[in-house]
Every structure is written in structure tokens, then in C-alpha cells.
Amino acid sequence: MKNKLVLVTGGAGYIGSHTAVELMNEGYDVVIIDNLSNSEKSVLNGIAEITGRNPYFEQFDICDKKKLENFFRVYKKLDAIIHFAAYKAVGESVEKPLKYYQNNLNTLMNLLEGMVKHEVPHFVFSSSATVYGQPDELPVTETAPFKPADSPYGNTKQIAEEMIRDTVNASPGLQAISLRYFNPIGAHPSALIGELPRGVPNNLVPFITQTAIGLREELKVFGDDYNTPDGTAIRDYINVVDLAKAHVVSIKRMIEHKSKDRLEIFNLGTGKGSSVMEIVKAFEKSTGVKINYKIVGRRTGDVESVYADTKYANNELGWKAETGLEETLLSAWNWEKNIRKKA
Ligand code: NAD
Ligand code: UFG
């Protein structure tokens, strides 16, 4: 029987590349669309080296409707789309909101329109725990209400989920799963693919690995006066390969008609919160490398504490984040060392 064909938008990026690998390992054929606005073409070599085969690759901007229409005509029989392509820098989205609305919403609209027209039945969307803001109750469940978005980036995720809901409601042939990621970290255990932040990293773990390797002088810990056991903010850090696997499970669920609803929403986290200082200590323990750090003031827009209630995803999807924090931090470190060796 012919392999199922999945379009992975943004598949040269951090989470998309790991997902392409997991799909290909499970026997799916993958076509990636990426305009390489936040990634490198060499990522495709990493994917090929790990899986032993090449994904199809099309380089263009999904905001370009004509090119996308042409793509749908060429790749006639897509079984599903996983949509990662978006801008994701929270701080930049505050400075340049229209850049974020333009890219994150137009890519989604064009894809949904194309799916309806070309009868592609299954859609998986990269959403974020940012839709919850600071939840009233922790751990946060999928039924918790949206809080006013902290940033234009966060708002694009809220609007996107609503656009998907409305489109699914109006399109009997379309089914979707929205996955709300908590904090994806780490890299593939082969160290052949991982996160490639441009310039100074905004996120905690790439900043830690770049400090450890000597690219940054010291980590700034943003605030130690939160109402948490050690005063630093708490997040739910999830291994990127575990996260990628949840996408494969989601695709299978829809193809095998196991969904309970035509739009389902799942939290992707570990269920365990870790503070910034716990991450620093776990990194030091697993790698043996000391991190220079300094406590500074809080970062604007940060919430105090957020971690997932994973029961629904664990029971319904039959998926669970399995990799331990120290192993995940070690994978991030191995990746950092590997890219600096190449640079
Ligand atoms: P990433 O920047 O590494 O990957 C996104 C990819 O999409 C990049 O390769 C980029 O070149 C591509 N892209 C962007 N706009 C495009 C366009 N218009 N046309 C074609 N390609 C385009 O980001 P990531 O960390 O892999 O995130 C993937 C998705 O997951 C995003 O939607 C992001 O918002 C979401 N998400 C990420 C995190 C996180 O912490 N990394 C957390 C929650 C949600
Ligand atoms: N932090 C530091 N120093 C740094 C970087 C981060 O102390 O140099 C702290 C932050 O203040 C926060 C924690 O580390 O308390 C995690 O920060 P990240 O920037 O790594 O992650 P966020 O939780 O702020 O945001 C991430 C993604 C968003 C997504 C959100 C969903 O970057 O895209 O998770 O929860 F929306």
C-alpha cells in the first residue's frame, strides 16, 4: 500500500524538523514547505541522515496564494497537513504586531482555504500554552478559558484557534486537532537536528547552552520574587521529540477515525512545573558544566507559573511525555556542541 503523504509547513524549523523525522520513522511520506525565514536548508540533510530518506521540499512563502494553489495542484493527494509555519518571537511581536498578524494568520487562512478546495481532510495546528495567560487554576486543563493575550503573538494563536473552529464547523469534510505546546526544549538524541535561534536567544534553554559554551557571558534570571518555592518562574518543559511524537499520534487518530469531535484540543506538556533555577541546576547536574548567572528584574509579560494538566492528552491520545528533564537538557547541550563544532 502507498505511504500516506503529510504536508509539514515550517518543517525546516525546530519542532517541524523533529516531527518530520518522527513521521518518516513511522512510514509516512513528508513534504515540507518552508521559506527558510527562520531556518537553514541544511536541516534537511539532518532529517535525511536520521531517517535514511529525503523529505520532499518546496521553498516558498505560504502567504503567496498563487504558489500555494500551484502546490496543491502538484501534490494532489495529501492525507494531512501539520501547520508549524509562523513567527514566534513574543518580544518582536510587541514591536511589530502587523508582521505577526500578517504571517501567522494569512498562512493559516491560505492553508484552510486550500484544504477545503482540494479536499485535504486532516489538519494539525501548533498552538501554545500562551492562550491560557496566567491560569486561575493549576495544572491548567484544556477547558480553561482564554485570558486576554499578553502579546500580538499570543493573540494570533487565540485567533487562529477560533478560525480553525469556524472553518471546521462550516466544512463537513475537514477535521482538526489543535495542540497547545508548553515549553518545548532539547534536541534529537543524534544531535543532527535541534533549535537554531538567530541572534541572542529569547528562550531559557538556548540561552543556557550558549552561556555554557561561552557565547554569552551570563544568564540573566528574570525575577526571583515570584510566589514560587525558590522565587523564580515555573514552566512545563517538554522534550521536543516527545512533542513531535504527539503529532504522529494525532494524524493517526484522525486517519483511523478515532477523534471524538471534528475539532479536538490537547495540552502537550509533562504535567510537571520546573522553576528557572531548577532548570539551571538540572543542566549543571546532567552536563557537569557550571552556568554563570545573575538574578535581574522580571521580564515584562511573563506569567508566574504555568504547567499542563496532561490527563486528557494521556488518556485520549494515548500519548505521554516520557523523556526526563536531565536527559533532555543533555540533548540540548550535545546539539549546541555539535553546531559550534560545525561553525
Ligand atoms: P521555527 O521558527 O523554528 O519554525 C517555523 C518555521 O516556519 C521556520 O523554518 C520558518 O522559516 C517557517 N516559516 C515561517 N513563516 C513562513 C511562511 N510564511 N511560509 C513558509 N515558511 C514559513 O519555530 P518552532 O519553534 O519550530 O515553532 C513551530 C510552531 O510551534 C510555531 O507555530 C510556533 O508558534 C509554535 N510554538 C512554538 C513554541 C516554542 O517554544 N518553540 C511554543 C508554542 C508554540
Ligand atoms: N528566562 C530567564 N532568562 C532568560 C530567558 C528566559 O530567566 O534569558 C525565564 C523566563 O522569564 C521564563 C522562563 O525562563 O520564566 C521560560 O522562558 P522562555 O522564554 O524560554 O519561555 P516562555 O515560557 O516565556 O515562552 C514560551 C515560548 C512562547 C510560548 C510560551 C507558551 O517562547 O512562544 O512558551 O507557554 F507562547
Side-chain angles (χ1 to χ4, degrees):
M1 218 174 71
K2 240 177 104 246
N3 290 344
K4 302 273 186 207
L5 177 62
V6 181
L7 164 60
V8 178
T9 76
Y14 174 44
I15 305 171
S17 57
H18 289 81
T19 302
V21 163
E22 294 310 312
L23 284 165
M24 290 163 77
N25 282 344
E26 287 289 317
Y28 291 88
D29 288 339
V30 167
V31 52
I32 288 172
I33 303 178
D34 202 303
N35 64 356
L36 305 181
S37 57
N38 197 36
S39 51
E40 309 276 337
K41 202 168 178 188
S42 60
V43 170
L44 301 173
N45 301 335
I47 297 174
E49 206 172 320
I50 297 168
T51 61
R53 54 198 181 108
N54 287 303
Y56 302 104
F57 177 61
E58 302 292 341
Q59 184 178 340
F60 68 90
D61 186 335
I62 297 162
C63 294
D64 186 329
K65 261 181 122 164
K66 272 204 189 124
K67 287 193 177 145
L68 187 62
E69 174 60 20
N70 192 44
F71 170 88
F72 276 115
R73 287 202 183 133
V74 173
Y75 289 84
K76 281 194 190 68
K77 197 59 212 91
L78 290 174
D79 292 284
I81 296 179
I82 309 182
H83 181 38
F84 294 101
Y87 295 147
K88 62 165 181 177
V90 176
E92 188 190 47
S93 81
V94 177
E95 309 287 320
K96 299 178 183 163
L98 294 178
K99 176 175 172 182
Y100 279 70
Y101 288 114
Q102 200 273 340
N103 196 45
N104 294 7
L105 298 180
N106 279 334
T107 50
L108 176 64
M109 270 189 277
N110 290 349
L111 282 166
L112 289 174
E113 215 170 57
M115 289 182 78
V116 173
K117 181 167 173 196
H118 296 275
E119 298 180 340
V120 182
H122 306 122
F123 188 66
V124 176
F125 178 66
S126 296
S127 189
S128 167
T130 192
V131 300
Y132 298 122
Q134 177 62 67
D136 297 327
E137 280 173 43
L138 288 171
V140 60
T141 64
E142 290 84 351
T143 53
F146 284 2
K147 288 288 176 69
D150 282 323
S151 68
Y153 165 75
N155 204 21
T156 68
K157 294 296 177 191
Q158 295 190 348
I159 297 170
E161 286 205 9
E162 287 166 359
M163 275 170 45
I164 295 166
R165 170 167 291 114
D166 291 342
T167 309
V168 164
N169 283 341
S171 320
L174 186 62
Q175 240 185 321
I177 292 182
S178 186
L179 298 174
R180 294 179 179 160
Y181 312 157
F182 283 68
N183 289 56
I185 60 164
H188 194 268
S190 65
L192 291 168
I193 54 171
E195 195 168 2
L196 273 177
R198 299 214 159 156
V200 183
N202 294 307
N203 296 113
L204 179 63
V205 171
F207 206 104
I208 288 177
T209 57
Q210 289 197 6
T211 307
I213 209 139
L215 268 179
R216 312 278 155 215
E217 207 172 306
E218 65 183 4
L219 168 75
K220 294 184 177 60
V221 174
F222 297 134
D224 69 347
D225 56 351
Y226 286 104
N227 186 19
T228 61
D230 67 14
T232 63
I234 289 177
R235 297 288 183 276
D236 185 338
Y237 296 91
I238 174 171
N239 179 283
V240 67
V241 176
D242 288 346
L243 186 90
K245 287 180 176 163
H247 295 74
V248 183
V249 174
S250 299
I251 293 286
K252 259 197 192 136
R253 178 177 176 85
M254 289 189 282
I255 289 176
E256 293 174 0
H257 307 290
K258 291 194 175 135
S259 299
K260 295 262 164 75
D261 228 324
R262 287 201 299 112
L263 170 63
E264 293 186 307
I265 293 168
F266 296 103
N267 282 343
L268 296 186
T270 66
K272 189 183 171 302
S274 305
S275 73
V276 176
M277 282 317 298
E278 281 172 337
I279 295 294
V280 171
K281 296 296 163 208
F283 181 87
E284 292 182 337
K285 187 161 170 239
S286 65
T287 64
V289 183
K290 281 261 163 237
I291 297 295
N292 274 333
Y293 71 87
K294 184 167 86 184
I295 309 284
V296 300
R298 293 181 180 194
R299 184 171 68 177
T300 315
D302 273 352
V303 296
E304 181 166 277
S305 187
V306 60
Y307 49 96
D309 187 318
T310 60
K311 274 192 232 71
Y312 189 58
N314 296 162
N315 297 337
E316 264 306 319
L317 275 183
W319 161 93
K320 200 172 187 316
E322 277 164 353
T323 315
L325 189 55
E326 286 182 22
E327 188 181 335
T328 301
L329 290 166
L330 189 58
S331 73
W333 177 228
N334 288 337
W335 163 246
E336 183 71 57
K337 286 191 292 187
N338 203 22
I339 41 175
R340 297 309 150 198
K341 220 168 34 197
K342 283 186 193 152

